Amino acid sequence: MKRIALAWIGIIVACCCAIASEKQLAPTGLMCELLSKRDLAGAQDVTGIDNPKPQLGWIVPLTKPNDRQTAYQILVASSQDLLDRNQGDVWDSGKVDSSASLSVEFAGKPLAANTNYFWKVRTWNHDDAPSTWSASQIFRTGSNLDRYKTPTFEPLPREIAAVKVESTGPHSYFIDFGQAAFGFLRLNIDVPAAEQTLTVRFGEKLKSPNEIDRKPGGTIRYSEAKVELSPKKKSYDVHPQADKRNTTGAAIKLPAATGVLTPFRYVEIEDCPVELITANVRQVMVAYPFDEQAAQFSCSDERLNKIWELCKHTIEATTFAGTYIDGDRERIPYEADAYINQIDHYVLDREYALARHSHEYLLEHPTWPTEWKFHSIFMAWADYLYTGNCESLAHNYASLQKKTLQDRARPDGLLGSNKQQVSHDDIVDWPTGERDGFVHTPVNAVVNAFYYRSLVLMGQIAEALGKTDDAAHYKAMAQQVYDAFNKMFFNAQRGVYVDGEGTDHASLHTNMFALDFGLVPQEHQATVVDFIKTRGMACSVYGAQYLLEALYEAGQADYACQLMTDPGPRGWLHMLDLGSTMTLEAWDMQFKPNLDWNHAWGAAPANIISRYLIGVRPVAPGFEKVMIQPQLGPLKWAEATVPTIRGPIHVRIDKAEHGGMTLQVSLPANMTARVGLPASGKSEQMLVNGKPQKGTLEDSTLWIDDVGSGENKFQLSP
């Protein structure tokens, strides 16, 4: 029977392939100014495109292995009807011989303000065969077509059904929506009697089964609302009272039409005159458009699967403000929060406009910590690396230069701080108790590690913009800091880096930032790694981003995975054990008594799993070339779908029972890969699609270069 089933599967697959070969595929994933989430129906949800020459992009259809686009044709029309008749009255590019599928600049008739336009594209493959036309996408211009502005979508309401509605007494109910979200409650009830009042309670945390904790502590949310019922009304949107701290001052203001939002998972209702069932109640979640199917991950460790889902939901749910914010207590954007939020969002959805908008907002509304300023440079480079679009870099180049703080550099190249900045602006980690005893000095290693990394990235940014003199200048400055850093802070006798000039204290932070940012010479990495591994998770959820990065960069996948799945109080499993469905601001209330339960900067495992455990990272801007270097650590297998601007990458890794590894990779068209597998021996060969192929052995990793698009299978023997 098994052979028969396999035979039928083979026949079905063959038939499907035959059908596909008869019908040419079309481009998908159309983008205008990095916006991809709406087709015809959603133009009103866009804040407006003010670029008079908007940039367009698409995913090239994969028609054969190693496929690439060789030409494209774009039509832009003033109506859907004209576009359906293949008439580009606003722009018909004709057939353009080019492999460009990202950041293709509009070159048609001048666009009018506040107007909808309709466009589509077709491409030619490596055999010069044309695709069919793509589905159309709409874009809407803004009011000012002569300025630079990153457009975004408005966060939108979406109804979520309850997973549990249970009577807890006469006219009283307990409701569980499964996950916390920012939003409000929608009641659909028909009251036959006279007007009356019911009570609604919102909560993130339980005191006991079916009972919301009304004094949850910290900034964990609980609120109440009264609802006046009327026989004339069938539906009620119930909002909590506004919180003064997160709706005034520097907090991101929500549109008046949105109403007051609160994060909640649970609802209690009292004095309800009708019986409630799941159809009567909805959690109305307000969030930026998010494709929940774009990214997938599963592995042999169910604990890690749960952590992934926790982090994934956090990134979606915390977009309610239309700008990356720190959490519900303040709702203020901060650079470090936004950077971790950004790289998490990139690996979870093919969406880049919200991150760019948040980054540029922070350039105009900077915050106070020293290291947060460097994070603006980190965000700018990540934006370019993942989108391949240098428009934001060019527009904000002068602002980014100021973020290096190079005016504070001493003659030896290192940054100094004045006495007021030492213990206030130089943040190291947050909260202050999470610094592993770090000793603040006017010239400290953490600030200078960030400074070095920022100079390296500014050199790459200058090079990307064709500013060769600036690129050489930043490269020389980075080298000076590298040399001075190692001379000043490395203690050769102990094999570790000390916290600053004039102290012999060595903290986890000094050593993990130095390792992550490329400041540790190869000959010193072993002792630095050994020291780091003695400290455990002696940092905050923010610091965990850099600790895990540093460990994977140093090939310490086993220990990194151990930290991610640690069941103790300093871990993501503890967040789940507490009952949260979003990542916390800190590991536990004992470390930060005013923490909230909805902080995106705690979701580091999302990007760490995708970028390091699965190992998918862009090598060339816009994923023209990608690195795939899985580091499974103790896992037996793992698989993932990683969204990119050029299309999804599918990866499956399996360890062989007696050593060795099999890696299956599916790449979209217009992309090549550099694939690396851990090599225990000195062999320079692996099987690629069943055939031996020589690779390059570097630091116990065997690399195969120039892997083409489509399906590829790599097998490495022990």
Side-chain angles (χ1 to χ4, degrees), residues 105-400:
E105 189 173 272
F106 170 83
K109 297 177 182 179
L111 301 175
N114 300 315
T115 303
N116 290 345
Y117 291 94
F118 307 81
W119 76 284
K120 62 183 180 180
V121 62
R122 63 173 173 168
T123 60
W124 281 258
N125 69 3
H126 193 66
D127 295 330
D128 200 35
S131 72
T132 55
W133 287 101
S134 70
S136 59
Q137 188 194 49
I138 192 170
F139 67 86
R140 181 173 181 80
T141 53
S143 301
N144 300 288
L145 288 173
D146 58 353
R147 65 172 181 172
Y148 174 86
K149 178 188 174 185
T150 297
T152 58
F153 290 113
E154 297 290 344
L156 297 173
R158 174 163 58 94
E159 290 192 351
I160 308 294
V163 298
K164 177 182 178 181
V165 176
E166 187 170 310
S167 174
T168 55
H171 311 296
S172 298
Y173 293 88
F174 172 82
I175 304 161
D176 181 3
F177 291 99
Q179 289 181 309
F182 282 85
F184 55 90
L185 181 71
R186 180 163 292 160
L187 277 174
N188 300 305
I189 55 176
D190 190 355
V191 183
E195 294 183 356
Q196 51 194 297
T197 302
L198 61 75
T199 301
V200 174
R201 299 189 179 95
F202 302 89
E204 289 184 283
K205 183 174 179 284
L206 290 182
K207 181 178 180 181
S208 61
N210 295 359
E211 182 185 7
I212 293 174
D213 190 341
R214 300 183 191 182
K215 296 181 179 180
T219 318
I220 305 168
R221 291 309 186 192
Y222 168 78
S223 58
E224 295 185 8
K226 299 291 184 180
V227 182
E228 300 297 329
L229 303 178
S230 170
K232 299 178 182 180
K233 196 171 182 181
K234 309 298 183 185
S235 183
Y236 305 82
D237 286 348
V238 186
H239 297 261
Q241 294 294 315
D243 181 276
K244 185 176 180 180
R245 175 77 184 273
N246 64 26
T247 56
T248 60
I252 295 293
K253 309 302 186 295
L254 301 182
T258 300
V260 178
L261 306 181
T262 191
F264 71 98
R265 172 181 174 178
Y266 307 105
V267 165
E268 292 174 354
I269 296 179
E270 286 187 0
D271 302 320
C272 185
V274 299
E275 181 182 1
L276 290 183
I277 59 175
T278 55
N280 299 129
V281 290
R282 290 288 186 270
Q283 179 190 54
V284 182
M285 174 182 182
V286 177
Y288 194 87
F290 187 90
D291 183 356
E292 294 182 353
Q293 303 304 312
Q296 303 292 329
F297 170 76
S298 59
C299 70
S300 56
D301 190 333
E302 187 58 31
R303 298 173 302 172
L304 206 56
N305 295 336
K306 292 177 180 178
I307 291 169
W308 163 266
E309 293 298 335
L310 169 74
C311 297
K312 180 178 179 179
H313 176 67
T314 301
I315 297 305
E316 176 183 10
T318 54
T319 58
F320 71 98
T323 304
Y324 293 155
I325 47 92
D326 62 331
D328 191 54
R329 186 180 68 258
E330 295 182 326
R331 297 188 185 178
I332 296 174
Y334 288 93
E335 292 87 345
D337 300 70
Y339 172 65
I340 297 174
N341 203 330
Q342 171 193 31
I343 55 179
D344 281 337
H345 203 161
Y346 284 171
V347 304
L348 295 172
D349 195 9
R350 186 173 173 265
E351 168 52 47
Y352 311 97
L354 180 58
R356 179 175 286 190
H357 161 75
S358 300
H359 158 55
E360 292 173 344
Y361 177 91
L362 281 160
L363 289 177
E364 295 182 5
H365 304 86
T367 62
W368 50 270
T370 304
E371 296 97 311
W372 279 205
K373 295 173 176 60
F374 300 127
H375 278 89
S376 282
I377 299 173
F378 291 15
M379 290 190 76
W381 180 249
D383 174 280
Y384 176 57
L385 200 57
Y386 276 79
T387 67
N389 181 295
C390 63
E391 189 175 26
S392 183
L393 290 184
H395 183 79
N396 296 297
Y397 183 71
S399 296
L400 294 172

Side-chain angles (χ1 to χ4, degrees), residues 591-706:
F591 306 118
K592 196 173 194 297
N594 66 342
L595 63 71
D596 61 39
W597 271 23
N598 40 67
H599 227 82
W601 85 340
N607 77 80
I608 294 295
I609 287 170
S610 182
R611 294 166 60 228
Y612 288 100
L613 192 154
I614 297 297
V616 174
R617 283 169 283 169
V619 173
F623 274 90
E624 184 175 9
K625 186 171 184 178
V626 62
M627 172 194 295
I628 302 177
Q629 184 192 11
Q631 296 186 65
L632 288 191
L635 303 181
K636 296 178 181 178
W637 61 269
E639 60 182 334
T641 299
V642 181
T644 80
I645 197 165
R646 293 179 186 267
I649 297 172
H650 304 284
V651 178
R652 167 83 192 202
I653 316 113
D654 291 274
K655 286 183 180 177
E657 187 175 347
H658 301 293
M661 183 176 288
T662 298
L663 169 66
Q664 299 175 76
V665 174
S666 175
L667 295 177
N670 257 23
M671 182 186 291
T672 61
R674 186 175 194 236
V675 175
L677 291 178
S680 56
K682 296 183 179 180
S683 173
E684 295 185 3
Q685 280 195 343
M686 73 169 76
L687 291 179
V688 181
N689 298 323
K691 298 179 181 179
Q693 184 169 330
K694 186 176 181 180
T696 304
L697 190 61
E698 299 176 4
D699 297 328
S700 301
T701 300
L702 185 59
W703 294 95
I704 301 292
D705 279 305
D706 300 319

Side-chain angles (χ1 to χ4, degrees), residues 82-102:
L82 286 171
L83 194 69
D84 289 343
R85 289 186 273 137
N86 296 332
Q87 295 180 25
D89 63 321
V90 180
W91 185 33
D92 182 346
S93 71
K95 183 181 179 182
V96 179
D97 293 327
S98 171
S99 63
S101 60
L102 307 176

